[in-house]
Amino acid sequence: MRFDKDVHLQKGVGAPWDLPTRYTCPIARDPDRVLETSAASRMLEILSTILGLLAVSDLIRFARVSKRMREMVYDDSRWVQRLRLMGCWNESEARSRAEKSRHKTLGALNPRFGEQTTHLSSVGSETQGHGNGTDKATNSTTIFDAVLDREQRVRPGQVQSSLWANERSDGFDATLLSPQKSLDFTQPKSSDKSEMLHVFNKVRSVRGAARTEYGTIYGALAPFYKDAIRSKAFTDAKIFRVYRDPGQQAQMLAQLSKFVKGDISQGWHEREEKFKDLLSAFESAVFREFKQGIESGDEEGKMRKYAHVLVTLNGGQKAIDQFISENSVIKRKADLGDPMDCILLASPIRISLAESHTFLSSVSTSFNAQIVVVDRVFPPSANVVIPFLRRVADEVIAGYLNLLFDELHQRSIESYLCAVSGIFEQSVQFARSLQPSQNIGDEFYEAVDELITKSFEAHVELYLKEELKFFTKKSASEVSNWERQLLDQDESMRSMYMSNVNRQADKRDFLSSFKKVVMMPVNVLPAFPKSSPFGGKPATAKALVNGDTLPPMRPTSSLSSSQPETPNIADGTTLTINRASTPITEPPTTELAAKAAIMNSRLEGIRSLFSLEVALNLVHAAKSSIERAAVFDSFSSHLDLDARKQCESIFISLLQILGTRHIKAGFDQAVEHLSRYNPRQIREHSQPGVAPLVMFLELVNVGDLIQQMVDVFYEQEMVATKLTDRDDFLDPAVKEKKRFEQMLDERVAAGLNKGIEVLMAEVEFMFATTQKPEDFDPDSASHTRNKIVDVGPSETAVHIVELVSSHTRMLVGSTDKTMLDVFNQEVGLRLFTALCKHLKRQRISVNGSIKLISDMTQYFSFIQTLKSQDLLTYFKALRELAQIYLIDPSDVKELATIIADSDRFYGIFRAEEVYEFAERRADWYLVKKRVEKAMYGIGCLVM
């Protein structure tokens, strides 16, 4: 007899020398007994090895040798091991029964403890057994009831002696035997054939009674098992003679399949192989009948009968696979739809989602019809629907989608993007249209969602990359087309103006022309950068030939214009630019006149440096891309994270292209135009506003509209759909949006700063050119002498107030309040500085001081409309300053007192500064000595 260690390990059984603790030999404390203890230990190992190789019947015979041998055979762990191999031992149930028995025993020994544990002993009284078995004997005695049992059957003295007496000297411990009787394993407990078909349902997991439970199984199944492995022909097996119904035969064979796993005695492998051959022959015969039922379409007959038999035998996986393979949805998938029908071979190639919808509807109808067949043929325990669904998804739907998407990706990216997003949305609706089996719940819809995700998983990553790439490319092309159209129009305009230039005259008088070019101011005409959409090469001043003069430039913009003209974009590619231009009576005939006309046209085109229509097209393109990608975010799967991230990337790309490439470049060019503006080169100043500044402010309005458009898009498409969180300051979309707004504010601020400089330059130019000397000194001109003084403000003051106020009003509503307040504050301060410089260049008489006071009051009234208290203080000081010119020369002391009183001017002007303004009195040299004497107490001495 040989013990094969590897075979036992294959069964999950430990080696036979892995003994329970109770059978191990104690360590001998006496050195003289070490050899005796070692010999006993080796003998115990040999006996355990022999027991591991014995069949059940041999174990029973071995137990009859002696009490010690019976203790080893009856050890509960040996039988629990066999029950666990057969899969009918529930450790949780065994632990629960043990706890109940322990409380019961302690309660019998200690009544007080029994009262305290009454509730605990009643909890779990209905313990679930293995399978469908129940606990029939609630008062049965287990191995943990040994103390109580012996109190009832033996005397206390005998119990004590049997527990603690150590009469043996061979190293074995005294072992208590269970009072349960041996069971005859050669005959089943009942002759009822139907009970034997459910023998596993009656098995309980009770510690100390594992041998009894195994004996019940062995008595019912061992005769069939032994007969099956001894039969020469499969048809001669006892199981097929006792049970004639295939269903009962399958049920008994299924039980024997579990019983075989508990056979761990020598030769188990050969016996298991013989039984598997029998089982395989039975399964093949039943499968042939089932296959014939499929071919004949006998759903209620053969298919239903033999499907139940196969499911009872081993789960029916073979029948399930055959049913799915022969299913009409799988075999006739070509009839459900052709993916090429979705591609419309037009120019450009387009996708027809109606064809894909028809395909998915056909699959849904066919699948639901087959689910009815599944419910009719297979038992509820058979898992048919989920494998069938996986097969349909892998072979029908995934094959259709792969062929369609691959073809579209090669032909048209835009159609590919529409197809992936649109068909995914249709697939979600398709998943909800499928009808589950009668015996399956939410697991079905979870499996459907998982399979839909799996079908698209291979395409989503590529789709999201192509979506971002497509949007970026389309947006960049939109802006490039806009810039190219502007350059083309500028070149066309330049060619038209330069076509009539007589260059022969320049050649004949080259030296004279060159001298004129050198002597002329360089900044007569502005030079535009090469990247500007309004010109290619910088304009260069050219000498006027034959006495030609530069025609005056006439700005076409006015305060009444509310919306700038921008290019009209058709189909996202063709740009038709409508730029207002100055009407020309006849083409210029000289190069300088032509370039003057070109500069005039460019100044008029400052408002079209970036386009509201282009921004709108970019936003619409981003909306389409995000809506397509967001379809994957609405579906509960792991695809939503990638889709959400890609939607944010599309939004970020929109802000970068719209902001950096389009708006920022436009503002930079506008600021460049403003920096080249020189009011002294403009001969016509009759317009109420500075033309470049007015156009820039209109450009600010367009930028504000674009920003509002982006805000609405962000709220509706990103925040409302939960694609991003506006409160997450680390979110890339939130950071990029703040960066876009910051860029826009910086460009507007830079333009407004330059605009203020241009505005103040225009104000100083008007001061220098329109302020008449007789306004503040009427006695200086003979035609105004002895006339009645007009107490109203001068025309210069009125025009300047109109000029400045017109520009400040244009910003109301187009910028935020903070920026508007800063702009007004800066305008007011620079206007104050310009007025101070202007006053120091004037000569003011007593009679002219009335008009000066009126002018200061006019400026003060304008500043009041700006609602800035700090500015009012400055202009109050100016109004008080004008009083020093009204004082009569005879009242010198009063004049000196006002000049020395710094509090009178609210701390804006020091006495020395007021003294400088007093020097602009027309009679200053007459009153200077008396004023200084009144102020300092001394006169002017010449040393």
Side-chain angles (χ1 to χ4, degrees), residues 339-372:
M340 294 297 103
D341 294 340
C342 298
I343 303 177
L344 301 179
L345 299 177
S347 182
I349 294 177
R350 292 182 294 110
I351 178 71
S352 175
L353 294 178
E355 295 294 334
S356 60
H357 182 269
T358 303
F359 165 75
L360 292 175
S361 299
S362 301
V363 175
S364 174
T365 303
S366 302
F367 181 86
N368 292 336
Q370 293 302 315
I371 291 299
V372 177

Side-chain angles (χ1 to χ4, degrees), residues 753 756-757 760 764 825-835:
N753 182 53
I756 292 173
E757 294 179 1
M760 291 301 108
E764 291 179 358
Q825 183 83 8
E826 190 67 20
V827 168
L829 290 176
R830 296 198 185 188
L831 178 62
F832 171 81
T833 303
L835 283 171

Side-chain angles (χ1 to χ4, degrees), residues 41 54 66 219 301 370 376 403 433 500 724 753 829:
S41 178
L54 294 180
S66 65
Q370 293 302 315
R376 188 183 303 124
L403 183 59
S433 66
N500 292 330
T724 187
N753 182 53
L829 290 176

Side-chain angles (χ1 to χ4, degrees), residues 720-937:
T721 55
K722 298 182 179 180
L723 294 175
T724 187
D725 183 8
R726 69 158 70 93
D727 298 326
D728 184 7
F729 63 92
L730 295 178
D731 188 88
V734 176
K735 293 168 64 176
E736 188 63 31
K737 184 173 182 295
K738 290 182 178 179
R739 191 179 296 113
F740 171 80
E741 294 172 349
Q742 182 180 1
M743 179 276 301
L744 196 60
D745 292 341
E746 290 176 354
R747 295 301 96 193
V748 171
L752 292 180
N753 182 53
K754 185 63 65 174
I756 292 173
E757 294 179 1
V758 171
L759 180 61
M760 291 301 108
E762 184 73 15
V763 169
E764 291 179 358
F765 179 78
M766 293 183 66
F767 276 141
T769 57
T770 63
Q771 191 78 63
K772 300 176 181 179
E774 57 267 22
D775 288 342
F776 302 140
D777 189 10
D779 298 334
S780 62
S782 59
H783 64 278
T784 59
R785 194 174 300 168
N786 299 325
K787 285 189 176 181
I788 299 176
V789 179
D790 184 11
V791 296
S794 64
E795 295 181 359
T796 301
V798 173
H799 290 162
I800 288 177
V801 169
E802 290 179 356
L803 174 68
V804 177
S805 62
S806 64
H807 291 85
T808 56
R809 285 196 302 266
M810 291 182 66
L811 285 178
V812 177
S814 61
T815 58
D816 58 357
K817 187 177 183 303
T818 302
M819 183 173 293
L820 182 62
D821 292 342
V822 172
F823 178 78
N824 292 338
Q825 183 83 8
E826 190 67 20
V827 168
L829 290 176
R830 296 198 185 188
L831 178 62
F832 171 81
T833 303
L835 283 171
C836 293
K837 293 180 179 179
H838 181 58
L839 286 178
K840 290 180 180 181
R841 290 195 295 263
Q842 305 299 317
R843 292 191 61 84
I844 307 168
S845 64
V846 175
N847 294 331
S849 63
I850 302 298
K851 188 171 289 292
L852 177 62
I853 294 175
S854 299
D855 285 358
M856 295 300 109
T857 303
Q858 180 78 5
Y859 296 130
F860 178 80
S861 299
F862 161 69
I863 295 300
Q864 281 183 320
T865 61
L866 301 182
K867 298 179 180 180
S868 175
Q869 294 298 325
D870 295 336
L871 288 178
L872 284 177
T873 304
Y874 285 90
F875 284 85
K876 285 180 181 178
L878 276 179
R879 196 169 55 177
E880 293 294 332
L881 183 65
Q883 303 295 327
I884 64 175
Y885 302 104
L886 186 62
I887 300 175
D888 191 82
S890 60
D891 197 358
V892 176
K893 292 184 178 180
E894 182 66 20
L895 178 62
T897 303
I898 293 176
I899 294 175
D901 188 6
S902 60
D903 294 336
R904 184 183 184 92
F905 304 102
Y906 306 97
I908 303 299
F909 298 114
R910 301 191 307 272
E912 293 81 1
E913 294 174 337
V914 177
Y915 183 85
E916 292 179 1
F917 285 105
E919 289 178 344
R920 305 313 303 165
R921 286 177 60 100
D923 55 356
W924 176 250
Y925 292 103
L926 299 177
V927 299
K928 178 180 179 181
K929 292 183 180 180
R930 288 181 294 171
V931 170
E932 290 179 349
K933 184 177 181 180
M935 290 180 61
Y936 306 115

Side-chain angles (χ1 to χ4, degrees), residues 242-357:
V242 175
Y243 298 99
R244 309 299 298 178
D245 181 63
Q248 293 181 342
Q249 294 172 354
Q251 194 170 356
M252 179 55 70
L253 287 173
Q255 291 191 132
L256 290 177
S257 299
K258 296 175 63 177
F259 181 74
V260 168
K261 298 177 182 179
D263 183 7
I264 58 175
S265 60
Q266 189 177 22
W268 66 269
H269 186 69
E270 292 77 7
R271 292 190 295 272
E272 186 177 17
E273 290 298 326
K274 293 188 67 175
F275 179 76
K276 286 183 177 180
D277 294 341
L278 172 65
L279 193 66
S280 178
F282 177 79
E283 183 182 17
S284 299
V286 176
F287 180 72
R288 284 194 299 270
E289 296 295 329
F290 177 77
K291 191 173 181 180
Q292 292 176 4
I294 293 179
E295 294 173 354
S296 61
D298 188 8
E299 298 176 358
E300 296 291 345
K302 284 188 175 183
M303 288 181 63
R304 177 181 175 83
K305 177 180 178 180
Y306 292 106
H308 281 68
V309 172
L310 290 171
V311 171
T312 303
L313 181 65
N314 54 11
Q317 188 60 44
K318 197 171 182 180
I320 294 173
D321 293 341
Q322 183 66 22
F323 173 80
I324 294 175
S325 299
E326 298 295 329
N327 195 274
S328 60
V329 181
I330 304 297
K331 295 185 67 175
R332 302 176 182 176
K333 58 183 179 182
D335 299 336
L336 297 175
D338 185 3
M340 294 297 103
D341 294 340
C342 298
I343 303 177
L344 301 179
L345 299 177
S347 182
I349 294 177
R350 292 182 294 110
I351 178 71
S352 175
L353 294 178
E355 295 294 334
S356 60
H357 182 269

Side-chain angles (χ1 to χ4, degrees), residues 491-724:
E491 290 296 330
S492 176
M493 175 192 65
R494 183 182 181 87
S495 299
M496 181 187 68
Y497 286 146
M498 299 294 292
S499 60
N500 292 330
V501 174
N502 187 1
R503 298 182 180 271
Q504 297 297 327
D506 296 341
K507 293 180 181 179
R508 287 193 300 268
D509 197 6
F510 175 77
L511 292 177
S512 176
S513 299
F514 180 75
K515 182 179 178 181
K516 292 180 181 180
V517 170
V518 173
M519 298 303 295
M520 283 186 64
V522 178
N523 292 329
V524 169
L525 296 175
F528 294 92
K530 294 184 178 180
S531 60
S532 171
F534 298 100
K537 299 180 179 179
T540 305
K542 183 69 176 177
L544 295 179
V545 183
N546 299 326
D548 293 331
T549 59
L550 179 67
M553 294 189 301
R554 184 172 60 87
T556 59
S557 174
S558 64
L559 294 176
S560 61
S561 60
S562 60
Q563 202 60 271
E565 295 181 359
T566 52
N568 297 327
I569 302 173
D571 299 331
T573 55
T574 305
L575 299 175
T576 304
I577 303 175
N578 299 324
R579 177 190 291 180
S581 59
T582 304
I584 301 178
T585 57
E586 59 181 9
T589 58
T590 63
E591 185 173 358
L592 186 59
K595 290 185 176 181
I598 292 173
M599 185 186 70
N600 189 21
S601 177
R602 288 175 176 175
L603 288 176
E604 293 170 355
I606 192 174
R607 70 187 71 182
S608 59
L609 288 174
F610 54 80
S611 168
L612 186 63
E613 285 81 3
V614 170
L616 187 62
N617 286 343
L618 295 183
V619 170
H620 278 304
K623 182 176 184 295
S624 300
S625 296
I626 289 177
E627 286 180 350
R628 285 196 297 263
V631 172
F632 296 94
D633 177 68
S634 61
F635 193 68
S636 179
S637 66
H638 66 276
L639 303 177
D640 56 350
L641 297 177
D642 297 336
R644 193 177 301 118
K645 183 183 297 185
Q646 205 67 355
C647 289
E648 290 185 345
S649 300
I650 294 173
F651 179 71
I652 291 172
S653 179
L654 167 67
L655 295 182
Q656 291 175 347
I657 295 176
L658 181 61
T660 304
R661 182 168 177 181
H662 191 55
I663 297 178
K664 183 176 181 295
F667 270 119
D668 291 342
Q669 293 176 14
V671 172
E672 183 70 17
H673 286 309
L674 288 176
S675 64
R676 294 180 179 276
Y677 177 78
N678 189 349
R680 289 172 175 78
Q681 297 177 357
I682 306 300
R683 298 187 179 184
E684 181 64 39
H685 293 272
S686 60
Q687 296 295 331
V690 181
L693 181 58
V694 171
M695 296 173 187
F696 176 80
L697 295 180
E698 291 180 354
L699 199 66
V700 172
N701 288 330
V702 177
D704 181 66
L705 289 176
I706 294 176
Q707 182 178 0
Q708 294 179 18
M709 187 191 309
V710 171
D711 290 338
V712 172
F713 175 80
Y714 177 75
E715 292 294 331
Q716 293 183 353
E717 299 297 329
M718 302 297 293
V719 177
T721 55
K722 298 182 179 180
L723 294 175
T724 187

